[in-house]
Amino acid sequence: MINIITWNINSIRSRLPLFLLWLKEKGPDVVLLQETKAMDDQFPREEIEDLNYNIATYGQKTYNGVAILSKFPIEDITCGIPGFEDDQARYIEAVVKGMRVASVYVPNGMAVGSDKYTYKLDFLDHLTAHVKTLLTYDEAFLLGGDYNVAPQDQDVYDPEEWHEKILCSTPEREGLRALVYLGLTDALRALHPQEQDLYTWWDYRGGSWQNNEGMRIDHLLLSAQAADHLTDAYVDRDVRGLEKSSDHAPVGCQLSL
DNA sequence: ATGGTTGCAGCGCAA
């Protein structure tokens, strides 16, 4: 049995006391982090290592940054999407307990039609091309992260208000669908097909959390070999309601591996 | 409501 959680932590240093309490209480085997917002030498390694985790980071100054924490040894680490020239730290991949895992922070895109939006669609294309190669290995593989795309209207608190807006536009959804249609399983939706309030992110602004105005933009995508062992998938909403929380909730799954 | 809140770095930018 292995527990894997993805979490856009929105600054590992700002979140550290909360994060350590959460890590100690939940004790997941693997944590995929996004938006660590710390250079590698700023990452609070010792405090996390004291809780018996190995750490692989791919950070940059101020923005972005991804990491993999694991109770098992971390091997074969790759930083950045192979074949994609990118000066932003948004992808890290490694092998843990014989299973390949990756943490991805897809660009937000800011607004439909902007330069950042073009970069987002380009990023998704390159991610898909790389994953297509990985899937030829026919191994258990898990790609978790903040995709900044709500796959369907079902994943949005007010689909009409968000119609064709950033996070929900058709090209973004097509980009994510192309990735999923390589043969990946959206773990959370697969186990909760009808659930309406299945959100992972609530804006800090406008009382979104209090009003449960959320979106499902963080996903755990599993290869067939991983999905065959999927026994649970969930959103850890409790920690989102705490003081000094990230604007994203952790999304976890359990695999009988 | 082109608003609202948060983190970083150093008061604008990204989300």
Side-chain angles (χ1 to χ4, degrees):
Chain A
M1 200 70 75
I2 183 167
N3 293 294
I4 303 177
I5 295 182
T6 183
W7 194 5
N8 180 321
I9 194 70
N10 188 6
S11 172
I12 186 65
R13 288 175 293 169
S14 165
R15 217 66 62 204
L16 191 59
L18 177 81
F19 181 66
L20 292 174
L21 282 173
W22 174 86
L23 197 57
K24 195 179 292 185
E25 184 187 330
K26 308 288 181 177
D29 298 302
V30 177
V31 185
L32 308 170
L33 294 174
Q34 302 87 38
E35 276 208 275
T36 54
K37 294 187 176 177
M39 291 187 286
D40 291 339
D41 61 2
Q42 298 175 312
F43 199 92
R45 299 186 68 94
E46 287 182 18
E47 296 91 330
I48 294 168
E49 285 168 346
D50 284 348
L51 297 178
N52 298 315
Y53 285 90
N54 299 293
I55 303 171
T57 65
Y58 181 38
Q60 72 175 78
K61 187 177 156 71
T62 309
Y63 302 118
N64 310 313
V66 284
I68 298 173
L69 315 183
S70 169
K71 288 187 170 177
F72 306 105
I74 302 176
E75 303 167 307
D76 197 13
I77 299 164
T78 302
C79 294
I81 298 172
F84 181 43
E85 286 285 332
D86 190 1
D87 57 3
Q88 303 190 17
R90 295 180 175 277
Y91 182 87
I92 186 168
E93 173 189 317
V95 174
V96 169
K97 209 186 175 190
M99 177 181 182
R100 190 172 300 271
V101 298
S103 175
V104 65
Y105 177 43
V106 175
N108 171 280
M110 192 174 74
V112 174
S114 67
D115 288 348
K116 292 189 176 71
Y117 182 75
T118 304
Y119 166 56
K120 178 180 194 172
L121 297 179
D122 195 36
F123 184 97
L124 280 169
D125 283 348
H126 283 89
L127 180 63
T128 299
H130 175 56
V131 170
K132 187 173 184 179
T133 302
L134 292 183
L135 290 180
T136 65
Y137 303 163
D138 287 324
E139 296 171 346
F141 168 60
L142 181 148
L143 177 61
D146 176 1
Y147 290 78
N148 270 311
V149 179
Q152 299 177 273
D153 282 351
Q154 181 188 22
D155 302 307
V156 183
Y157 69 93
D158 187 345
E160 289 177 19
E161 182 184 329
W162 283 84
H163 180 70
E164 293 299 338
K165 300 263 177 63
I166 198 68
L167 312 182
C168 302
S169 74
T170 300
E172 292 168 78
R173 286 178 168 175
E174 286 176 347
L176 179 59
R177 198 179 307 139
L179 173 61
V180 173
Y181 279 15
L182 292 174
L184 299 171
T185 295
D186 176 344
L188 190 58
R189 188 52 84 192
L191 294 191
H192 306 278
Q194 301 301 329
E195 197 166 325
Q196 287 302 316
D197 295 341
L198 201 59
Y199 306 139
T200 67
W201 169 77
W202 298 258
D203 202 313
Y204 283 127
R205 298 168 288 191
S208 298
W209 170 252
Q210 288 74 11
N211 300 322
N212 195 26
E213 294 172 345
M215 320 246 297
R216 193 173 73 92
I217 59 177
D218 302 88
H219 310 299
L220 292 165
L221 302 183
L222 278 56
S223 73
Q225 292 81 358
D228 282 346
H229 294 90
L230 179 65
T231 55
D232 192 18
Y234 56 91
V235 179
D236 182 0
R237 290 175 74 116
D238 294 346
V239 69
R240 176 62 180 83
L242 300 179
E243 199 78 19
K244 287 283 288 178
S245 75
S246 169
D247 46 351
H248 294 252
V251 180
C253 72
Q254 191 166 73
L255 305 176
S256 57
L257 283 172

